[in-house]
Amino acid sequence: MDSTETKPGQFRSICIFGAGAIGGALAARLASSPMLKRTTITAIARGAHLNAIRDKGLHLYEPGKTEPLVARFAATGNAGELERQDLVIVTLKGHQLTAASADIAGLLKPDSRVVMIQNGIPWWYFHGDETSGLEGRKVEALDPDGLIWQRIGPQRVIAGVIYQGAQMLEPGHIRLTSGGLLHLGEPSGAISPELTAIADLLQASGWTIKTTDRIRDEIWSKFLGNAAFNPISALTRGRISEIMDGPAVDLVKQVMTEVHNVAGKLGCHVRETVEEKLEHGRGLGNAKTSMLQDLEQGRPMEITPLTRAVTLLGRMAGVPTPANDMLLSLISQLDASMAKARAQEI
């Protein structure tokens, strides 16, 4: 694929790796897009959700529509069954990437791009970074042994930061609870032909897309809320409205202030102030964070990208992060106790 002539229709094969609520919605909309009639869309899913997609398609309930979009597309639980893809869209959580990295790499052609839609600080963060003075630095905790870096390669990445309420109602049925917005950007800041083509095909399939030459600003802007609400919600078992109305709200403000300071020291601009983000949090109502949902389902929590990363990057930037350090200790202890309980159940 010649990157100087990339067009949306040239992506003849697209794999969505991780067809949960967000990934499944992406797959459904891409499979239903008139622009991609000649493109093979495949999703990597598992369990009952995989079976439901295969048997009856994926039912996507969208805001303002009375009937679901029913999309038919290929789905498998084994990436090794697939041919190499023109484009791979990864919607896994950060702590799931190392285990999946070999399978993702096996899907890539020499010139394939990988859209990484992830919350928190990503494994490739300092690749192509011209603002922090730490360009090319690897963060071991985000990518143990450098396996993701080696197998996928940061040069393939197009980063995605998504604002989209989504819920898995039951296997094969997903509800979108808001209009949604997806920011896309190259780590280098370039507005490349491939970035533009991928943005165009996602826009044509029903998403609101914004491309940016400063994707790290968008990462930190969303991270401002995630870093505070996720671990605190898991520790308190509270929804966001309960946190904002309770004694932990002062801790939320401390965590956000530290995140804001680290971002600024690394050369990034967070568009919301801490006070504005707090007001935004109050508007989220009874929403459950992803970390709380994982805790309730007995799954490992996404601690390193959402909590440990603040302390690590804070040290690299020379910014104290005492509130985040405390949260990291507490959430790590909780995660260890949950892991012990899971092991005893086996």
Side-chain angles (χ1 to χ4, degrees), residues 37 60 142 155 201 212:
K37 286 182 178 179
L60 182 64
L142 294 170
Q155 74 282 355
L201 74 87
T212 176

Side-chain angles (χ1 to χ4, degrees), residues 7 10 42 75 99 105 118 142 184 201 203 221 300 324 344-345:
K7 298 178 182 179
Q10 289 180 300
T42 307
Q118 181 192 330
L142 294 170
L184 293 174
L201 74 87
Q203 184 88 34
S221 291
N324 282 278
Q344 290 174 346
E345 292 174 359

Side-chain angles (χ1 to χ4, degrees), residues 61-63 164-167 169 174-180:
Y61 302 83
E62 301 173 284
Q164 176 65 72
Q167 179 185 5
L169 301 175
I174 293 169
R175 182 185 301 280
L176 299 182
T177 58
S178 62

Side-chain angles (χ1 to χ4, degrees), residues 12-16 26-28 30-31 36 39-43 73-75:
R12 298 302 187 192
S13 56
I14 301 175
C15 178
I16 294 81
L26 281 162
L30 288 169
L36 298 174
T39 298
T40 299
I41 307 296
T42 307
F73 49 87

Side-chain angles (χ1 to χ4, degrees), residues 94-150:
H95 65 300
Q96 300 170 326
L97 288 173
T98 296
S101 59
D103 284 340
I104 296 170
L107 295 172
L108 303 178
K109 299 176 181 179
D111 55 356
S112 299
R113 298 303 302 268
V114 180
V115 177
M116 307 285 303
I117 300 175
Q118 181 192 330
N119 284 331
I121 303 300
W123 59 274
W124 53 264
Y125 182 84
F126 289 110
H127 172 72
D129 179 17
E130 300 292 337
T131 61
S132 68
L134 298 170
E135 198 281 328
R137 183 76 64 89
K138 299 177 184 179
V139 183
E140 170 71 16
L142 294 170
D143 182 13
D145 298 321
L147 293 178
I148 311 173
W149 194 287
Q150 296 167 25

Side-chain angles (χ1 to χ4, degrees), residues 39-335:
T39 298
T40 299
I41 307 296
T42 307
I44 306 295
R46 61 186 179 183
H49 187 51
L50 170 61
N51 294 333
I53 293 172
R54 284 173 164 172
D55 292 344
K56 297 182 179 180
L58 192 144
H59 293 62
L60 182 64
Y61 302 83
E62 301 173 284
K65 297 184 180 180
T66 57
E67 296 295 326
L69 170 67
V70 182
R72 293 276 186 175
F73 49 87
T76 179
N78 180 8
E81 296 177 352
L82 304 182
E83 297 181 353
R84 295 180 183 268
Q85 305 285 301
D86 292 326
L87 175 65
V88 178
I89 302 175
V90 180
T91 57
L92 300 177
K93 294 178 180 178
H95 65 300
Q96 300 170 326
L97 288 173
T98 296
S101 59
D103 284 340
I104 296 170
L107 295 172
L108 303 178
K109 299 176 181 179
D111 55 356
S112 299
R113 298 303 302 268
V114 180
V115 177
M116 307 285 303
I117 300 175
Q118 181 192 330
N119 284 331
I121 303 300
W123 59 274
W124 53 264
Y125 182 84
F126 289 110
H127 172 72
D129 179 17
E130 300 292 337
T131 61
S132 68
L134 298 170
E135 198 281 328
R137 183 76 64 89
K138 299 177 184 179
V139 183
E140 170 71 16
L142 294 170
D143 182 13
D145 298 321
L147 293 178
I148 311 173
W149 194 287
Q150 296 167 25
R151 291 168 175 170
I152 297 175
Q155 74 282 355
R156 293 183 182 273
V157 170
I158 288 177
V161 178
I162 195 165
Y163 293 87
Q164 176 65 72
Q167 179 185 5
M168 183 84 71
L169 301 175
E170 60 180 279
H173 293 254
I174 293 169
R175 182 185 301 280
L176 299 182
T177 58
S178 62
L181 172 63
L182 175 59
H183 297 270
L184 293 174
E186 296 268 10
S188 67
I191 304 297
S192 67
E194 290 162 309
L195 171 62
T196 301
I198 292 166
D200 287 347
L201 74 87
L202 289 171
Q203 184 88 34
S205 68
W207 298 92
T208 300
I209 305 296
K210 290 187 178 181
T211 57
T212 176
D213 59 357
R214 292 184 60 87
I215 191 62
R216 291 174 186 81
D217 289 355
E218 301 303 332
I219 289 172
W220 285 100
S221 291
K222 187 174 185 184
F223 191 36
L224 191 62
N226 279 333
F229 290 125
N230 270 279
I232 293 173
S233 70
L235 290 166
T236 63
R237 309 302 201 272
R239 295 171 182 258
I240 291 180
S241 59
E242 294 169 329
I243 294 170
M244 294 304 297
D245 290 336
V249 67
D250 290 336
L251 179 58
V252 170
K253 185 173 183 179
Q254 293 173 43
V255 171
M256 288 185 177
T257 299
E258 292 175 7
V259 172
H260 219 288
N261 291 342
V262 174
K265 192 64 179 290
L266 292 174
C268 293
H269 172 69
V270 180
R271 61 177 176 272
E272 290 180 289
T273 66
V274 169
E275 289 71 23
E276 289 170 340
K277 198 68 171 182
L278 287 168
E279 285 302 310
H280 177 75
R282 290 188 176 92
L284 296 176
N286 288 326
K288 283 187 180 182
T289 69
S290 61
M291 200 176 273
L292 177 57
Q293 293 178 55
D294 284 341
L295 179 69
E296 291 178 341
Q297 295 296 319
R299 299 187 296 248
M301 293 179 287
E302 195 177 8
I303 292 175
T304 295
L306 296 180
T307 304
R308 182 172 288 111
V310 183
T311 68
L312 293 172
L313 269 63
R315 292 191 194 104
M316 295 171 75
V319 176
T321 57
N324 282 278
D325 294 347
M326 179 187 65
L327 276 184
L328 176 60
S329 297
L330 294 173
I331 200 68
S332 297
Q333 184 175 352
L334 175 59
D335 195 55

